[in-house]
Amino acid sequence: MRLILMRHGETDWNAESRLQGQDNSSLSPRGIEQVRRFRAFLKALNPARVVSSDLGRTRQTAELIGHGTCPSDPRLREWDMGSWTGRTKPELIAAHADLYHAWRAGEYTPEGSEPWETFRARVAEGLRHWLAAGQGDLLAVVHGGVIRAALHAFLDIGPSRVIPVTPGTGTILNFRPGAWQTAQLEGYNIGAVVPDLSVAD
């Protein structure tokens, strides 16, 4: 069974390299185009079921791919970034490079933020619930941090070992039916765009 993890299209805050966490901004014109271009991949993959995070940017993405009425799950929300929410990636690296890279590796928790292990467990619980809830391949419209958490939970690939997830792309994990603890990696950053290494996490 495939779990297709789609990152929402670029938002206005993504375009500014600004960390969003559980705050929200709308998809940018570029983000809307990214999502529209990804629809051909989804048509080929033809998932049987769809779920999304309950945040606005993922709901907007789900609407654009023709699944605006799919269920949403708050367990699939982005990582709560606490006091770093709204700050830009270049600003944080300039001021706190060591802390930024430790945070990106899941080893530092900004004030008011969700610890990485708590976040990873939340995401894994939500995805396992939806994998077990029905038959056929599952598409989850989510966030970059959620995809990194899934890779850590199901493949034991830590967040420091993966490049950023490009908006409007898909990551595919393959599970044996009924065996939701571990998976095989089928694809990462799949889409009609060149992976963007500078995108905000």
Side-chain angles (χ1 to χ4, degrees):
M1 180 186 291
R2 282 175 170 151
L3 170 62
I4 305 157
L5 298 162
M6 180 186 180
R7 185 180 182 184
H8 59 79
E10 178 192 79
T11 67
D12 293 331
W13 275 26
N14 290 150
E16 298 171 357
S17 295
R18 198 173 297 282
L19 303 188
Q20 292 181 107
Q22 296 186 0
D23 277 13
N24 198 59
S25 65
S26 298
L27 299 191
S28 67
R30 181 186 182 202
I32 291 170
E33 182 59 26
Q34 288 169 337
V35 173
R36 287 175 173 160
R37 292 172 69 183
F38 193 73
R39 287 188 297 202
F41 291 88
L42 288 178
K43 184 176 181 180
L45 291 166
N46 193 28
R49 303 173 289 142
V50 183
V51 66
S52 82
S53 156
D54 64 341
L55 296 180
R57 54 194 184 271
T58 48
R59 298 305 299 174
Q60 185 180 1
T61 297
E63 178 74 32
L64 287 169
I65 60 173
H67 294 285
T69 61
C70 73
S72 63
D73 189 331
R75 292 174 294 187
L76 305 183
R77 285 184 173 192
E78 181 59 288
W79 195 2
D80 183 347
M81 298 174 186
S83 62
W84 281 12
T85 301
R87 299 185 68 181
T88 68
K89 181 176 179 179
E91 168 198 353
L92 287 167
I93 291 175
H96 312 287
D98 291 347
L99 292 180
Y100 177 84
H101 293 299
W103 168 78
R104 181 61 172 73
E107 297 168 355
Y108 172 73
T109 303
E111 182 181 355
S113 177
E114 187 175 18
W116 173 259
E117 293 301 328
T118 302
F119 172 56
R120 184 182 72 166
R122 163 168 68 80
V123 168
E125 178 188 34
L127 290 173
R128 287 187 177 115
H129 167 86
W130 289 100
L131 285 165
Q135 300 294 317
D137 294 346
L138 173 68
L139 168 65
V141 183
V142 292
H143 309 270
V146 170
I147 295 172
R148 295 199 308 274
L151 292 176
H152 200 184
F154 299 126
L155 300 173
D156 199 26
I157 300 175
S160 66
R161 294 174 55 204
V162 293
I163 62 172
V165 184
T166 301
T169 64
T171 292
I172 304 175
L173 305 184
N174 209 304
F175 293 82
R176 294 193 311 275
W180 314 127
Q181 297 305 307
T182 61
Q184 293 178 305
L185 179 63
E186 189 172 341
Y188 182 74
N189 262 351
I190 299 169
V193 295
V194 176
D196 184 354
L197 302 184
S198 66
V199 69
D201 296 304

